[in-house]
Amino acid sequence: MLPLPFEAAFTYASDEALVPGTLVRVPLGPRMVVGAVWDDVPDAGVPERRLKPVAEVLDFPPLPESLREFIEWVAQYTLAKRGEVLALGVKANLLIEPKIRRKTFEFGAADAGQAGPALSADQAIAAAALRAAVGAQKFGVTLLDGVTGSGKTEVYLEAVAQTLAAGRQALVLLPEIALSVQFLQRFFARFGAMPAVWHSELTPAVRRATYRAVATGAAKVVVGARSALFLPFAELGLIVVDEEHESAFKQEDGVTYHARDMAVVRARISEAPCVLVSATPSLESVENANSGRYQRLDLPARHGGAKMPEVLALDLRKDPPERGRFLAPALIAAVRETFARGEQAMLFLNRRGYAPLTLCRHCGHRMACPNCTAWLVEHKSHKRLVCHHCGHNEALPEACPACGAEQNFAAVGPGVERIAEEVALVFPEARALVMASDVITGPKEAAAAAAAISAREVDMIIGTQMVAKGWHFPHLTLVGVVDADLGLGGGDLRAGERTVQMLYQVAGRAGREEAPGRVLLQTFSPEHPVMLALLSGDLPAFMAQEAAERRPGHWPPFGRLVALIVSAMDEALADRTARALSRSAPHGAGIEILGPAPAPFALLRGRYRRRLLMKTRRDLPVQTLVREWLARTQIDRAARVDVDVDPVSFM
Ligand code: ADP
Ligand code: ZN
C-alpha cells in the first residue's frame, strides 16, 4: 500500500517473506516511495518476471495490525482511498533517513511516580473512574463533562499517569496544537518531562524521530493534532480527546474525517479506553452518554472555590455604541472598572482583519474575491485586501474598479484590528494585545503571548476564536463579546450549538481564580435561546431543546448526513453533474435527498460548486448507498465529487 491516492495495493517481488505492516522502499515509475506491506492477496494478473522488486526493507517495526485495521476502517467509513488514509500517517519520504544525522532526540521519561495535586472530592471520583478504565485495558468511552476551570485537565492527567504506570502509551488529542503551550507546561510540571508532540509543522527530522519513537514504544505520551491518530503506537493504552466539541477536529480537505469519532474507533480496535473531555460537549456525545453508550463523569464546580462568571447581555438596540464605533457605553464602563482594579479584560470577536467588507461610497461596489463567493477582508496592518478562503490578496485600489471614484471607500463592520484601533482611542494608556491567527502564527508566538499576559504586561486582549481555547489567565476578570450574534446566521444545523459552545468557552476565561469574573454579551437579540442559555448557564437545558428540535426530522445525531460536493471549473458542467447525481440518487424508506443547490461558496478557489445532501435514518448503510450511487452515475473527468460523511460544515 502506497501513501498515495490509490485504493488498490501494488504488487512487488521480494526474495524474503515480508510480514504485513513491513515498511519498504519500492520503485513507482521513476521515483522511489515508502510503502507498507499490506494484507491483500497479491495481484496474480502480472507475470512474476514483470514484477518490480522491493528496493529496500526499512529497519523499522512493522505497522501494527491495529493501525492497519484502523486505516481500512477509516477508508471504508469516509469513502476515501486506502492509500490516502495511509498517507495521513506515513508520508512518502518520512522514513528515509538523511545521510548525516545531525541531532538525536530524546523521548519520554515521563515520571508516573511523581504525585499529582491533591484532588477535590469530585475530581477524585472522576480520576478514580478513569484510572479504573485504564486499568481494565478494555475499550470504553467516557465523557468527562466539567465546567470551565473545574480541573478536567488535572483529572485526565491522572488517567495518563495510570497508563504510564501500566507501561502503555497515551495519546492526547488537542484541537489546535500550536496553542498548547500552557498544556505542555502543565504536563511538564506533572510528569517532569515533555511529551512527544505531533502536528503538521514539525521539521522532517523531528517528525521522523517521533514516528520511530512512537513505533518502538520509546515515546510514552503523544500530544497531537488529529493526524496523531495514524501513528504506529506499539501499545496504545489510552486516548484523550480534549475539547471534544471542537469543529477543528473535523478534517475538511482530502480524507474528511472527524478525529473525535475516529479516536473512538481507534480506541476500540486497540482495546483501550477513550476519554472525551469538554465543558460544552457536542450533542453527539451528550446523546451517547444519555443512552448509556458512554460513561459520564461530571465536575460541576470550579476548582478552589472560584465562582462561575456572571453573564449579562447588553442590548445594542437600547445601548448602542457611538456612531462608527463598536463598543457600547456599558462595556466601556466595565472595562474601565476592570482596569481600575488592576485586572485584565478581553474582547472577543471571531473575525480577523480590520473590516469584513469594503465598499465604494459613490456607487456601492463591493470588493469581492475573483476566485470565491466572498468579500475581501481589509487587513490594515498589511495594507491589503485578503480573501480568507483562497488567500487571494490585493492592495486597496486608489479608485473604485466599477465607477472610478477616487479614495472613496468605506470599511464596513469590525474585525479584531478595528476593535484594537477603538481600544487605542478609548483607552490610550492600556497595553493591548491582538490574538488572531495572522499575528499568533505558531507555538512560539502563542507562548510569548501567554507569558506576557500571565506576567501582567498586557491589560487588554483582543482576540478571535483563538482566545476561547483552554487558556488560564489568573488576572483576567472581564470578557466582552463584541458581536454575540455573529455565528447565528446562515441556517447551519449546528449554528446555535456552536455559538453556545464558543461563547461559553470564551466566557470561561473570566475569573478563574479568586477575583470574580464578568461577561458582557453585545447582542441585538438578548431573547434568543442561545443568549438565554449563556445568561442562565444552563447548557444541559439548551442541549435538551436542541435534541428535541433535531429528533423528529432525523437530523444528526438522530439521523445521518452525507454531503456530496460537486465542483468544476466550468459552471455548466458543475450543474450538469449535480443534476445527473440528482437523477440517480438513491431512494427508499428513510432516505431523503436535499438539493442540488449552489453551495454557499458557489465559487471557491476558481471552482463552481453545487451541493447535495443525503439524510437517512441512523440504521441505514450510508457508505454502501453512496458508493452505489456514485458507481451508477456518469461523471465527467473534468468534474469532481467530494464526499463528506457526517459533514460539520455546510459551506
Ligand atoms: P479545566 O481543564 O476544567 O478548564 P483545569 O484543569 O485547567 O480546568 O484547572 C483550572 C485551574 O485549576 C488550573 O490552573 C489547574 O492547575 C488548577 N487546578 C485544578 N484542580 C486542581 C487541584 N486539585 N489542585 C491544584 N490546582 C488545581
Ligand atoms: Zn478567494
Side-chain angles (χ1 to χ4, degrees):
M1 187 68 64
L2 303 182
L4 295 166
F6 298 108
E7 172 61 21
F10 289 61
T11 301
Y12 290 89
S14 166
D15 297 338
E16 9 169 358
L18 299 174
V19 298
T22 302
L23 290 164
V24 291
R25 225 137 66 86
V26 292
L28 180 73
R31 48 183 186 138
M32 296 296 256
V33 291
V34 168
V37 176
W38 219 249
D39 313 60
D40 294 21
V41 179
D43 184 352
V46 190
E48 213 166 311
R49 66 192 152 73
R50 293 206 25 224
L51 290 178
K52 295 216 179 97
V54 165
E56 185 190 351
V57 176
L58 298 179
D59 172 25
F60 198 90
L63 299 187
E65 188 182 353
S66 58
L67 176 58
R68 298 197 315 275
E69 191 181 333
F70 179 59
I71 289 169
E72 293 276 347
W73 203 99
V74 173
Q76 156 72 26
Y77 189 86
T78 61
L79 278 87
K81 301 194 168 71
R82 292 187 298 171
E84 284 180 286
V85 181
L86 176 67
L88 294 173
V90 179
K91 299 282 178 255
N93 61 0
L94 175 74
L95 302 166
I96 301 169
E97 296 284 346
K99 289 268 166 347
I100 310 158
R101 237 193 272 173
R102 287 196 185 77
K103 261 197 210 164
T104 56
F105 299 91
E106 302 238 339
F107 293 93
D111 181 4
Q114 209 163 300
L119 299 179
S120 71
D122 286 334
Q123 289 176 342
I125 292 169
L130 292 186
R131 273 198 301 266
V134 170
Q137 307 207 348
K138 277 200 326 229
F139 169 65
V141 185
T142 303
L143 176 62
L144 177 58
D145 179 357
V147 299
T148 50
S150 57
K152 296 184 293 296
T153 313
E154 300 295 346
V155 167
Y156 77 66
L157 287 181
E158 293 308 302
V160 171
Q162 179 78 15
T163 311
L164 291 171
R168 304 179 93 196
Q169 292 166 295
L171 167 62
V172 179
L173 291 183
L174 299 179
E176 219 158 326
I177 195 77
L179 305 180
S180 60
V181 268
Q182 288 193 323
F183 174 85
L184 295 176
Q185 287 161 359
R186 283 173 68 176
F187 186 94
F188 187 83
R190 175 71 180 78
F191 294 109
M194 278 298 185
V197 176
W198 185 262
H199 54 82
S200 59
E201 277 150 53
L202 299 177
T203 64
V206 174
R207 175 177 293 273
R208 207 161 28 235
T210 306
Y211 196 86
R212 180 178 290 278
V214 173
T216 60
K220 293 294 179 206
V221 184
V222 177
V223 176
R226 55 199 177 206
S227 65
L229 282 172
F230 296 90
L231 286 171
F233 289 95
E235 205 179 349
L236 189 56
L238 172 71
I239 303 180
V240 176
V241 184
D242 201 355
E243 313 284 8
E244 69 88 33
H245 63 279
E246 271 282 348
S247 46
F249 281 123
K250 178 69 190 283
Q251 171 146 317
E252 301 282 358
D253 303 323
V255 183
T256 52
Y257 68 98
H258 202 303
R260 181 234 302 144
D261 300 344
M262 294 308 115
V264 172
V265 174
R266 181 78 157 105
R268 179 165 54 68
I269 292 174
S270 308
E271 301 195 36
C274 183
V275 186
L276 307 180
V277 183
S278 179
T280 53
S282 61
L283 186 56
E284 279 74 6
S285 297
V286 168
E287 282 301 316
N288 277 321
N290 289 348
S291 70
R293 266 192 296 271
Y294 293 177
Q295 168 184 222
R296 175 187 209 126
L297 299 172
D298 284 310
L299 296 175
R302 280 188 160 178
H303 167 70
K307 298 234 165 10
M308 292 304 287
E310 177 191 17
V311 184
L312 299 168
L314 291 185
D315 188 337
L316 291 178
R317 294 166 307 190
K318 295 195 182 126
D319 185 26
E322 259 179 57
R323 215 180 130 72
R325 302 279 184 86
F326 303 95
L327 305 178
L331 178 53
I332 291 176
V335 171
R336 195 157 278 137
E337 290 160 24
T338 305
F339 287 169
R341 280 196 299 271
E343 295 163 4
Q344 292 166 322
M346 173 187 276
L347 294 176
F348 170 73
L349 175 62
N350 196 18
R351 209 190 261 140
R352 289 188 287 132
Y354 183 79
L357 175 64
T358 302
L359 62 75
C360 170
R361 282 204 178 88
H362 187 72
C363 73
H365 175 76
R366 297 164 171 222
M367 298 298 291
C369 176
N371 314 319
C372 303
T373 315
W375 307 126
L376 293 175
V377 179
E378 182 180 356
H379 283 246
K380 238 187 185 174
S381 50
H382 304 85
K383 298 196 175 62
R384 307 292 287 178
L385 296 174
V386 181
C387 173
H388 284 182
H389 306 284
C390 72
H392 167 88
N393 65 92
E394 56 188 71
L396 182 63
E398 291 287 310
C400 171
C403 74
E406 286 192 18
Q407 308 259 7
N408 202 11
F409 290 106
V412 182
V416 282
E417 284 182 16
R418 196 167 193 176
I419 299 302
E421 188 178 273
E422 187 166 333
V423 165
L425 274 173
V426 182
F427 304 102
E429 70 294 344
R431 297 162 301 171
L433 175 78
V434 173
M435 290 183 76
S437 59
D438 47 350
V439 194
I440 309 287
T441 48
K444 261 219 317 271
E445 291 80 5
I453 297 166
S454 298
R456 304 175 94 155
E457 290 159 14
V458 169
D459 304 305
M460 167 71 87
I461 303 149
I462 302 154
T464 60
Q465 43 93 20
M466 176 179 280
V467 299
K469 304 213 164 98
W471 301 105
H472 183 80
F473 298 131
H475 312 291
L476 177 69
T477 57
L478 177 71
V479 168
V481 176
V482 175
D483 184 354
D485 310 327
L486 186 59
L488 293 175
D492 182 321
L493 160 73
R494 296 185 183 85
E497 178 188 348
R498 206 149 45 215
T499 304
V500 162
Q501 286 163 339
M502 185 179 291
L503 296 185
Y504 185 87
Q505 293 286 349
V506 187
R509 300 314 110 203
R512 288 168 73 93
E513 293 201 354
E514 299 85 47
R518 192 151 48 128
V519 180
L520 299 179
L521 307 171
Q522 296 198 143
T523 172
F524 284 99
S525 46
E527 68 295 332
H528 192 287
V530 161
M531 302 311 147
L532 297 178
L534 291 163
L535 297 179
S536 69
D538 192 350
L539 265 49
F542 177 83
M543 294 306 259
Q545 184 57 37
E546 277 285 310
E549 279 170 24
R550 290 193 213 171
R551 198 187 302 266
H554 297 282
W555 291 98
F558 308 101
R560 311 201 47 198
L561 292 178
V562 180
L564 265 55
I565 302 109
V566 178
S567 66
M569 304 292 275
D570 174 32
E571 186 163 18
L573 176 60
D575 276 323
R576 261 201 321 279
T577 310
R579 278 198 305 271
L581 282 166
S582 171
R583 279 194 302 273
S584 62
H587 49 252
I591 304 174
E592 213 180 313
I593 306 292
L594 308 167
F601 287 114
L603 179 65
L604 188 67
R605 297 179 199 103
R607 297 179 73 88
Y608 292 90
R609 300 165 77 245
R610 305 291 182 261
R611 293 183 69 103
L612 293 104
L613 196 61
M614 180 174 83
K615 178 152 75 81
T616 75
R617 274 196 333 244
R618 262 185 77 102
D619 56 334
L620 294 185
V622 291
Q623 283 80 6
T624 310
L625 288 170
V626 172
R627 212 170 269 124
E628 290 171 0
W629 181 6
L630 293 174
R632 68 174 169 261
T633 314
Q634 280 260 342
I635 295 165
D636 192 290
R637 278 171 162 278
R640 200 169 80 205
V641 182
D642 291 311
V643 179
D644 186 355
V645 179
D646 307 332
V648 167
S649 157
F650 298 87
M651 301 308 277

